[in-house]
């Protein structure tokens, strides 16, 4: 049967409309139900106190890390409730304090009116009640925090013991003999689980009939097979018809493939499990196994969907990653096997837990799973490393006799990640062989999960970039509407696209971090709590300097400097080029933001070490004394650099003359300015000299340069011919501008000669010297051809050559 695109679209719209009506009806039904009265403040605080006491009792004897994690989440929820109560009561307390302030203090020995006294008494009673409730809520929050820390430490200890517990090696014959001995008992336990499921299913079918079960199975199969194919076809047709050409079309299809590949198997598993629950075909003691089916199906589908979206082995023209078809097919096959292994390992683990099989069987199953994961990770690493091999090795393998090509430069991050993955895989392999099965399985699963999460995050980041660029494109529908309605220019739209993509990337980075921490039991609530705790710790004072604080400060410095560098690179390469600022202004803005980021990182490091703002002010006061005496010149140059960046009397690219040196301004730092002189050397000038001394900026007023020619001719020379000769020389020279026009003047007539002074303009002051030299060469040749002599001013001095008389002069006789 052939289904048209429009019919599928109509069916989809009807399905969405039906879903919306169902949601609306459910909302109305909930709204019509009676609302439970909200508990009072004292009752709410008492409930939180009772919950914390119960959770504390439950956590004492708990030995399962997963259960401790669940208890920790409940404790965190109780802490948030206590904080919410304190936060909600604080405005009421502030309002009562303001009203008491308006009443003023009661002076001793004075009496006030009865109504004022009653009002004061009532307000004071409300103040005491609210203040007590707020203090109790804060106390409960502290107790919850302490209980959560204790639970987390106990959970971390148990996880560490399980992770590094040594059992029999999966390659040991002793383990398999023990498994063979425990096999009859384990099979009996598994048969009991199967019998319970079969009996519950038979009772459910007998009670509700086969129609609900058949309907659920049919819906699940429709979702998995024809539904997935139809939705994938619809998405591809929509992408082809609605999205423009370029990477957006490919990234959109990849995201659609990721969403479908993850959601449809999960929904199908949920429909099947929910159908079995509806007919009561799942016993209560096997409810955890049913939840594991949906959860494991989600993780397995996510692994397979991510690899399919990134590789697309059957659609090479839509592939985002630069993989050849052979590599994509191999990686896709390994990814599919990994997805199946994830599903089987999760289900086997859940089944062993529910059936309570012999621990030896669990060890053997975990060992086999660890070895399978190690083999899959090694196979994928080998395939990926072949992509980054040099072209020389590829040519040797292919039998080519061509000259070796220049090896491509590999990213340092890729090399570091590859080396780290190889080390982890080697450690997991050694650990599995030696009997550290839990460590091997956790390490390989963490590698797989990290690769899948980072791959999905990278794919979503590419889609966010492409969507932002397309959305804010000037010729798009949204771009035209924004341009007409808001009067935005093309550069503004480009900046909006860059900033929108940056915000989306930041949000996706947080999502990726949260997803990477999921195997450790963390979630976004835990991350938020960590951030709050870190902020509270920074505000504490009087803390001694501990080795952990130093390590944490170093970590903060490294991460902060990396973020500053990444932000500076994004600012210089992505955002500032999309603005209409000049090159020098961009450099000034980037430099100021870089130094500001470094300053913030330095403050964060100091605060991480336990130095509060009061001590920091004392340190700053002490440093100011030292700066005033010993670092005065450095401070003066630093402030001068900020003034240069703000007022911009000298910009990057200007041609300046300071003293006897002149050259191009190449860089303006906060302490000095680099000027490249004519001999290609660099002149380092303190910024204070550029502020306090006289500087000639050749290009500040405009980019033009002026050429001046001065010479003298005899008094009888035809000056009109000389003037015409000069103007002709200016007209034929390629560097001389026609506007402003060249000019020729008679400077003076004296001493039997006529002084000629002429001016012409060139495009840049840097071309003045060479152009002036060319014009002098041509002028001398033209004057020689015209037989016009040049006159050099003569310095005539009358000197008496006779020596002075030394004897006595005699009068003539």
């Amino acid at each position: 049967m052939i289904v048209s695109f429009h019919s599928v679209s109509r069916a989809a719209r009807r399905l969405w409309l039906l879903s919306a009506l169902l949601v609306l009806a459910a909302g109305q039904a909930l709204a019509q139900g009676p609302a439970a009265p909200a508990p009072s403040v004292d009752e709410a605080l008492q409930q939180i106190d009772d919950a914390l006491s119960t959770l504390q009792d439950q956590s004492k004897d708990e030995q399962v890390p997963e259960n401790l994690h669940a208890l920790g989440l409940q404790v965190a929820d109780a802490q948030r409730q206590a904080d919410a109560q304190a936060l909600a009561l604080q405005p009421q307390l502030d309002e009562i304090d303001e009203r008491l302030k308006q009443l003023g203090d009661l002076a001793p020995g004075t009496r006030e009116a009865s109504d004022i006294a009653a009002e004061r008494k009532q307000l004071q009673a409300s103040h005491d009640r609210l203040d007590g409730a707020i203090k109790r809520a804060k106390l409960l929050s502290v107790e919850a925090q302490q209980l959560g820390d204790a639970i987390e430490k106990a959970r971390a200890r148990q996880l560490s013991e399980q992770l590094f517990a040594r059992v029999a090696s999966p390659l040991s014959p002793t383990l398999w003999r023990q498994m063979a001995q425990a096999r009859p008992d384990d099979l009996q336990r598994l048969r009991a689980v199967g019998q319970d499921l079969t009996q519950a299913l038979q009772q459910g079918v007998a009670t509700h009939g086969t129609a609900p079960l058949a309907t659920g199975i049919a819906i699940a199969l429709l979702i998995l097979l024809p539904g997935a194919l139809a939705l994938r076809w619809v998405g591809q047709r929509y992408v082809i018809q609605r999205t423009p050409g370029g990477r957006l079309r490919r990234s959109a299809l990849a995201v659609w493939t990721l969403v479908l590949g993850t959601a449809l198997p999960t929904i199908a598993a949920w429909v099947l499990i929910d159908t079995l629950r509806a007919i009561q075909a799942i016993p209560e003691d096997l409810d955890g196994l049913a939840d594991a089916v949906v959860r494991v199906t989600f993780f397995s589908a996510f692994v397979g969907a991510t690899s399919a979206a990134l590789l697309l082995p059957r659609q090479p023209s839509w592939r985002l990653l630069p993989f050849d078809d052979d590599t994509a097919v191999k990686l896709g096959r390994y990814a599919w096997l990994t997805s199946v292994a994830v599903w089987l390992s999760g289900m086997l683990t859940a089944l062993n837990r529910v059936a309570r099989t012999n621990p030896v069987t669990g060890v053997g199953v975990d060992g086999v799973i660890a070895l399978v994961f190690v083999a899959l990770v090694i196979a994928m690493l080998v395939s990926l490393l072949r992509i980054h091999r040099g072209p020389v090795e590829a040519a040797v393998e292919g039998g080519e006799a061509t000259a070796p090509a220049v090896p491509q430069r590999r990213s340092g991050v890729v090399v570091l990640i590859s080396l780290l993955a190889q080390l982890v895989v080697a450690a997991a392999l050694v650990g599995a062989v030696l009997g550290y099965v839990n460590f091997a399985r956790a390490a390989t699963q963490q590698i797989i999960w990290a690769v899948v999460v980072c791959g999905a995050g990278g794919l979503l980041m590419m889609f966010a970039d492409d969507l932002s660029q397309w959305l804010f494109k000037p010729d798009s529908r949204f771009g035209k509407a924004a341009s007409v309605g808001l009067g935005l220019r093309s550069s503004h739209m480009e900046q909006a696209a860059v900033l929108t993509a940056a915000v989306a990337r930041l949000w996706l980075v947080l999502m990726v971090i949260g997803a990477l921490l999921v195997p450790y039991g963390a979630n976004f609530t835990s991350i938020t709590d960590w951030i709050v705790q870190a902020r509270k710790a920074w505000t504490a004072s009087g803390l001694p300097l501990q080795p952990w604080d130093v390590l944490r400060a170093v970590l903060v410095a490294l991460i902060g400097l990396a973020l500053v560098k990444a932000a500076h690179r994004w600012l210089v390469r992505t955002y500032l080029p999309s603005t209409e600022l000049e090159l020098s202004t961009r450099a000034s803005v980037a430099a100021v933001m870089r130094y500001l980021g470094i300053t913030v990182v330095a403050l964060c490091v100091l605060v991480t070490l336990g130095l509060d703002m009061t001590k920091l002010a004392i340190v700053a006061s002490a440093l100011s004394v030292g700066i005033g005496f010993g670092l005065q010149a450095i401070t003066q140059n630093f402030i001068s650099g900020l003034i240069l960046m703000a007022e911009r009397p000298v910009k990057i690219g200007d041609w300046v003359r300071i003293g006897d040196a002149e050259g191009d301004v190449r860089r303006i730092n906060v302490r000095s300015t680099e000027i490249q002189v004519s001999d290609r050397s660099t002149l380092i000038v303190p910024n204070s000299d550029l502020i306090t001394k006289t500087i000639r900026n050749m290009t500040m007023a405009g980019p033009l340069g002026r050429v001046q020619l001065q010479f003298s001719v005899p008094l009888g020379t035809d000056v009109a011919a000389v003037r015409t000769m000069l103007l002709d020389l200016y007209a034929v020279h390629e560097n001389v501008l026609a506007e402003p026009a060249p000019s020729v003047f008679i400077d003076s007539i004296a001493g039997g000669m006529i002084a000629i002074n002429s001016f012409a303009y060139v495009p840049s002051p840097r071309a003045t010297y060479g152009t002036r030299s060319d014009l002098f060469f041509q002028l001398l040749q033209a004057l020689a051809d015209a037989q016009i002599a040049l006159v050099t001013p003569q310095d005539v001095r009358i000197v008496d050559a006779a020596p002075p008389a030394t004897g006595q002069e005699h009068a003539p006789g």
Side-chain angles (χ1 to χ4, degrees):
M1 181 179 63
I2 300 176
V3 182
S4 64
F5 176 77
H6 297 288
S7 62
V8 174
S9 300
R10 288 196 298 270
R13 287 195 294 267
R14 291 174 182 175
L15 181 59
W16 281 109
L17 180 60
L18 180 60
S19 301
L21 292 176
L22 291 176
V23 172
L24 181 61
Q28 292 178 352
L30 291 175
Q32 292 175 0
S40 62
V41 175
D42 295 335
E43 293 177 353
L45 294 178
Q46 186 61 40
Q47 292 177 3
I48 296 174
D49 193 2
D50 296 340
L52 289 178
S53 300
T54 304
L55 293 173
Q56 185 175 7
D57 295 337
Q58 293 177 357
S59 63
K60 290 180 179 179
D61 301 328
E62 187 60 57
Q63 300 297 326
V64 181
E66 290 78 5
N67 297 339
L68 284 177
H69 174 61
L71 294 177
L73 293 179
Q74 297 179 20
V75 171
D77 184 64
Q79 182 181 0
R80 285 190 294 272
Q81 292 179 8
D83 293 336
Q85 290 290 338
L87 187 63
L89 294 177
Q90 188 62 43
Q92 303 178 22
L93 182 62
D94 295 339
E95 182 180 356
I96 293 177
D97 287 339
E98 185 65 26
R99 295 173 64 181
L100 287 173
K101 184 179 178 181
Q102 295 296 327
L103 292 178
D105 297 333
L106 183 62
T110 60
R111 297 182 61 183
E112 57 184 357
S114 58
D115 53 346
I116 300 298
E119 182 70 18
R120 184 189 299 276
K121 183 178 180 180
Q122 182 180 0
L123 289 176
Q124 190 63 42
S126 300
H127 177 276
D128 296 340
R129 180 177 57 82
L130 289 175
D131 185 62
I134 292 175
K135 290 180 179 179
R136 186 184 179 189
K138 292 181 178 180
L139 180 61
L140 290 175
S141 177
V142 173
E143 293 177 357
Q145 179 182 352
Q146 294 175 352
L147 178 59
D149 293 340
I151 292 176
E152 186 63 29
K153 290 180 180 179
R155 177 177 171 273
R157 184 182 66 256
Q158 293 179 8
L159 285 176
S160 178
E161 293 175 355
Q162 291 183 4
L163 188 64
F164 296 101
R166 185 175 182 180
V167 295
S169 172
L171 302 181
S172 173
T174 305
L175 175 64
W176 296 102
R177 285 196 298 268
Q178 294 176 355
M179 290 181 61
Q181 295 174 1
R183 179 182 176 185
D185 188 23
D186 293 337
L187 290 178
Q188 184 178 359
R189 293 174 182 271
L190 293 175
R191 289 194 193 98
V193 173
Q195 291 175 0
D196 291 342
L197 285 174
T198 303
Q199 184 179 0
L201 179 62
Q202 292 175 354
Q203 292 179 356
V205 171
T207 305
H208 300 86
T210 59
L213 181 61
T215 302
I217 295 175
I219 292 175
L221 293 177
L222 286 175
I223 292 174
L224 282 177
L225 297 177
L229 294 177
L231 289 176
R232 187 175 292 109
W233 181 82
V234 169
Q236 187 171 358
R237 294 290 298 176
Y238 183 86
V239 167
I240 294 175
Q241 295 180 0
R242 297 295 181 91
T243 59
R247 202 180 70 171
L248 176 61
R249 182 175 295 179
R250 294 184 294 161
S251 61
L253 180 63
V255 171
W256 183 248
T257 303
L258 174 63
V259 172
L260 288 183
T262 305
L264 294 183
T266 307
I267 294 175
W270 174 78
V271 168
L272 185 59
I273 295 299
D274 194 66
T275 302
L276 294 176
R277 283 174 173 167
I279 63 174
Q280 299 177 356
I282 300 177
E284 294 183 0
D285 55 345
L286 298 181
D287 194 66
L289 181 62
D291 293 334
V293 171
V294 180
R295 184 175 62 255
V296 172
T297 302
F298 168 75
F299 287 116
S300 175
F302 181 61
V303 173
T306 302
S307 62
L310 291 174
L311 299 175
L312 291 175
R314 298 182 181 179
Q315 296 174 305
S317 59
W318 293 83
R319 190 177 301 140
L320 288 171
L321 299 180
F323 293 161
D324 57 279
D325 294 343
D326 186 29
T327 303
V329 171
K330 288 182 179 179
L331 290 177
R333 188 182 302 117
Y334 294 144
W336 182 82
L337 292 176
T338 303
S339 176
V340 174
V342 168
W343 194 88
L344 290 177
S345 64
M347 292 308 303
L348 288 176
T349 302
L351 188 59
N352 287 335
R353 185 182 296 113
V354 171
R356 298 179 180 179
T357 57
N358 196 294
V360 176
T361 303
V363 171
V365 171
D366 291 340
V368 173
I369 292 173
L371 292 177
V372 169
F373 281 139
V374 168
L376 290 173
V377 172
I378 291 176
M380 286 187 285
L381 282 177
V382 170
S383 300
L384 290 175
L385 290 176
R386 287 178 179 176
I387 301 175
H388 296 283
R389 287 186 307 176
V392 177
E393 299 179 6
V396 171
E397 287 188 0
E400 300 177 359
T402 58
V406 179
Q408 298 179 356
R409 184 179 180 183
R410 296 174 60 182
S411 173
V413 178
V414 174
V415 174
L416 181 60
I417 293 176
S418 175
L419 179 61
L420 181 61
Q422 295 177 41
L423 293 176
V424 173
V425 171
L429 181 59
V430 174
V433 173
L434 295 179
Y436 295 97
V437 175
N438 293 331
F439 169 75
R441 180 176 178 179
T444 51
Q445 287 181 347
Q446 185 61 30
I447 290 178
I448 295 172
W449 180 247
V451 171
V452 171
V453 169
C454 292
L459 173 60
L460 294 176
M461 288 180 186
M462 286 190 287
F463 176 68
D465 292 342
D466 299 337
L467 184 61
S468 300
Q469 294 294 334
W470 172 75
L471 186 63
F472 291 95
K473 200 173 181 180
D475 56 352
S476 65
R477 182 179 301 177
F478 179 80
K480 292 179 180 178
S483 178
V484 174
L486 303 177
L488 299 178
R489 296 194 298 269
S490 300
S491 60
H492 295 161
M493 300 294 291
E494 185 177 356
Q495 296 175 39
V498 172
L499 293 176
T500 303
V503 173
R505 278 178 170 269
L506 180 59
W507 183 76
L508 289 173
V509 166
L510 294 177
M511 295 288 291
V512 168
I513 293 175
L516 289 176
L517 295 177
V518 166
Y520 301 101
N523 50 24
F524 295 103
T525 303
S526 302
I527 297 175
T528 305
D529 295 339
W530 294 344
I531 294 175
V532 172
Q533 295 301 325
R535 180 180 61 82
K536 291 180 179 179
W538 291 350
T539 58
S541 60
L543 295 178
L545 190 61
Q546 300 292 337
W548 171 248
D549 295 334
V550 176
L551 181 61
R552 187 172 59 179
V554 172
L555 184 62
V556 169
L558 293 177
I559 296 176
L561 292 178
L563 292 176
V564 169
K565 184 178 180 180
H568 182 264
R569 186 186 301 112
W570 172 81
L571 193 67
V572 172
R573 298 181 181 180
T574 306
Y575 178 70
L576 289 178
S578 64
T579 63
E580 298 177 354
L581 300 177
E582 298 178 355
L583 181 62
S584 59
T585 306
R586 298 179 195 173
S588 300
V589 172
V592 171
M593 295 304 296
R594 178 171 175 267
Y595 289 114
L596 181 61
I598 293 175
T599 303
V600 172
V601 171
L603 291 176
C604 292
V605 170
L606 292 176
V607 173
T608 305
L609 291 173
L611 186 64
D612 62 354
M613 294 304 173
T614 305
K615 294 183 179 180
L616 188 61
I618 297 174
V619 173
S621 301
L623 288 177
S624 62
V625 178
I627 290 174
F629 288 98
L631 303 178
Q632 183 177 2
I634 297 177
T635 306
Q636 183 180 6
N637 290 325
F638 178 79
I639 297 175
S640 300
L642 297 180
I643 295 175
L644 286 176
M645 293 179 183
E647 295 185 356
R648 298 169 58 210
V650 175
K651 305 182 296 296
I652 295 178
D654 286 352
W655 188 33
V656 298
R657 176 179 294 173
I658 175 170
D660 297 334
E662 62 180 21
D664 297 322
V665 178
R666 294 302 183 190
R667 187 175 182 182
I668 300 177
N669 301 317
V670 293
R671 191 196 65 83
S672 61
T673 298
E674 300 177 6
I675 300 176
Q676 184 177 353
V677 296
S678 58
D679 60 353
R680 299 297 178 182
S681 62
T682 302
L683 184 66
I684 308 298
V685 180
N687 290 330
S688 58
D689 292 348
L690 300 178
I691 296 298
T692 59
K693 294 184 179 180
T694 302
I695 299 176
R696 184 177 181 183
N697 193 332
M698 308 293 187
T699 55
M700 181 176 182
L704 301 182
R706 192 182 72 166
V707 176
Q708 182 180 11
L709 299 182
Q710 291 178 305
F711 58 94
S712 300
V713 295
L715 188 60
T717 304
D718 186 1
V719 292
V722 174
R723 182 176 183 272
T724 303
M725 183 187 303
L726 282 173
L727 293 178
D728 292 341
L729 291 177
Y730 290 146
V732 298
H733 199 282
E734 59 181 3
N735 286 341
V736 177
L737 300 177
E739 184 65 31
S743 56
V744 180
F745 303 96
I746 295 178
D747 191 59
S748 65
I749 301 175
M753 61 182 180
I754 303 174
I756 304 297
N757 194 4
S758 64
F759 302 95
Y761 293 90
V762 293
S764 172
R766 298 172 180 85
T768 302
Y769 189 81
T771 304
R772 184 170 175 266
S773 177
D774 293 341
L775 290 173
F776 269 132
F777 276 112
Q778 297 173 10
L779 176 63
L780 291 174
Q781 183 64 39
L783 290 175
D785 294 341
Q787 296 181 354
I788 298 176
L790 294 177
V791 177
T792 302
Q794 300 292 331
D795 187 9
V796 180
R797 298 183 181 180
I798 301 176
V799 180
D800 187 5
T806 58
Q808 185 177 0
E809 295 183 357
H810 299 278

